[in-house]
Amino acid sequence: MRLDTLTALNAERAARRPALVVTDPADGRQRLVREPEIDADPLAEVLRKRLASGASGLVEDRQGHPLFVAVHAPPVRLVAVGAVHITQALAPMARQLGLDLTVIDPRTAFASPERFPGVTVIAEWPDTALRTVALDAYTALLALTHDPKIDDPALSAALKADCAYVGALGSRKTHARRVERLKEAGFADEQIARIHAPIGLDIGAVSPAEIALAILAQVVATLRRERIAARAGA
Amino acid sequence: MLSTEDDILRAAEAWRREGRAVALATVIETWGSAPRPVGSHLLIDEAGGFLGSVSGGCVEGEVITEALDVIGDGRPRTLEFGVADETAWRAGLSCGGRIRVFVERVD
């Protein structure tokens, strides 16, 4: 790999922009394909598919010659709105999973660094905090405060940013009211349907740690849905 | 998508900028129960120092040896590793899987 290709690739990754590297294993010839460049690439369709699945692997060009496609999707970031007990239990689990966690809560008593050692905690309202933590398609957003004043703006931002995963704590009844509010705010049904609520896989979770586990399991299942689908089809 | 190879590629850039001769090994294909997924990297410098893994320890020694040749002549190579008894002349994967590893010099 040429150093300038590597440098350009690392710059894309640092900026949380997806990129692919196409390599001919026979002679080492290589090209970096940034996301906006995919459509102009001879392998456009294959590269789009690979980026969507996140799976690197060998493909063939039009002449049947094998090429290696390395997919560099930004690492998934976890943004939890609500510095609550569940979030405290979730923090070490997220670290183990390699999910970079940011916690947002305007209530300074909750959003204290002592409650979240080693975690980025922002004691601001979501509207302010999300100006620094830009949501994107590689972010999972968890709304965990139970307070619509805090949760709703975060959920709206997550839907607009097309976040990889959006989940909200609360009962079915709470969620029904939330759906009404989001409809009034102008969101379409299919957008609202992207919210996982009640949040988490149904494992009968009771304690904060169990709820955290249920949430993270659902986040992983969502991020790995291509693998699940591939196996179901096999 | 969950875990990344960020550090390896950043390290590759940093090592090269320090003036070290560097090769990058990448798992490009796996069959069966391979220990590391496609896209995993091993970074090697001319002194045999390395970072990352392509097999969780089974064939790293062999990859490093080949990488030193790649650093020497600049010609990329594709290596294949299978179970130990099938390829007795070189290191093997005890898990029974097979992997193909592409090794290139960072120029």
Side-chain angles (χ1 to χ4, degrees):
Chain A
M1 187 182 282
R2 291 164 48 119
L3 181 59
D4 56 357
T5 306
L6 180 60
T7 306
L9 171 62
N10 282 341
E12 291 305 295
R13 312 174 91 204
R16 288 183 63 78
R17 288 189 297 258
L20 304 105
V21 177
V22 182
T23 305
D24 185 339
D27 58 13
R29 270 193 303 172
Q30 226 156 25
R31 63 179 185 271
L32 171 70
V33 185
R34 296 173 186 84
E35 194 183 27
E37 296 162 352
I38 294 176
D39 287 339
D41 193 276
L43 288 174
E45 202 180 319
V46 173
L47 297 187
R48 281 255 166 250
K49 247 187 231 169
R50 287 277 166 178
L51 182 58
S53 71
S56 302
L58 288 171
V59 303
E60 284 182 355
D61 67 10
R62 283 193 196 127
Q63 288 75 44
H65 184 79
L67 296 170
F68 178 65
V69 176
V71 181
H72 297 282
V76 175
R77 197 168 48 184
L78 201 55
V79 175
V81 174
V84 297
H85 202 168
I86 294 168
T87 317
Q88 284 182 284
L90 185 136
M93 297 184 199
R95 192 174 304 134
Q96 290 259 292
L97 288 167
L99 295 165
D100 185 22
L101 174 67
T102 300
V103 178
I104 297 169
D105 199 321
R107 301 166 300 180
T108 47
F110 284 84
S112 77
E114 294 76 39
R115 284 164 49 83
F116 294 93
V119 176
T120 308
V121 181
I122 307 176
E124 300 277 3
W125 287 87
D127 280 341
T128 309
L130 294 178
R131 264 182 249 144
T132 34
V133 187
L135 300 178
D136 58 29
Y138 300 92
T139 304
L141 182 118
L142 320 173
L144 305 173
T145 69
H146 283 118
D147 182 344
K149 285 199 304 298
I150 305 173
D151 282 353
D152 282 11
L155 290 169
S156 300
L159 293 178
K160 282 178 194 156
D162 199 22
C163 282
Y165 172 95
V166 187
L169 197 68
S171 65
R172 283 173 207 288
K173 226 161 137 187
T174 308
H175 187 60
R177 286 196 293 272
R178 182 184 293 131
V179 169
E180 288 313 310
R181 289 193 304 274
L182 288 169
K183 272 186 190 167
E184 274 168 35
F187 286 99
D189 289 344
E190 59 269 25
Q191 271 180 301
I192 298 170
R194 294 202 51 235
I195 302 173
H196 291 87
I199 197 169
L201 292 186
D202 186 1
I203 57 170
V206 176
S207 70
E210 289 169 7
I211 296 167
L213 177 66
I215 293 170
L216 287 175
Q218 191 169 50
V219 169
V220 172
T222 304
L223 299 176
R224 297 293 194 200
R225 62 187 176 279
E226 299 276 346
R227 272 174 67 87
I228 297 171
R231 248 178 326 188
Chain B
M1 249 209 236
L2 289 172
S3 61
T4 65
E5 296 287 340
D6 256 9
D7 294 340
I8 305 298
L9 293 179
R10 253 183 244 146
E13 187 185 332
W15 285 16
R16 189 71 199 97
R17 286 191 189 286
E18 283 168 20
R20 291 151 89 171
V22 172
L24 185 68
T26 307
V27 178
I28 61 169
E29 201 170 10
T30 65
W31 299 263
S33 55
R36 297 279 288 137
V38 171
S40 301
H41 292 301
L42 178 70
L43 175 66
I44 306 101
D45 73 4
E46 79 268 38
F50 66 96
L51 199 64
S53 81
V54 289
S55 78
C58 308
V59 300
E60 266 69 12
E62 181 87 19
V63 175
I64 291 165
T65 305
E66 293 279 347
L68 294 176
D69 291 344
V70 172
I71 289 174
D73 65 17
R75 209 167 46 79
R77 291 161 173 72
T78 301
L79 318 172
E80 201 176 315
F81 298 96
V83 287
D85 57 354
E86 276 179 12
T87 54
W89 52 278
R90 60 155 43 154
L93 297 170
S94 52
C95 54
R98 264 198 305 150
I99 61 171
R100 193 174 285 166
V101 179
F102 177 69
V103 188
E104 63 192 312
R105 188 168 73 181
V106 179
D107 287 315

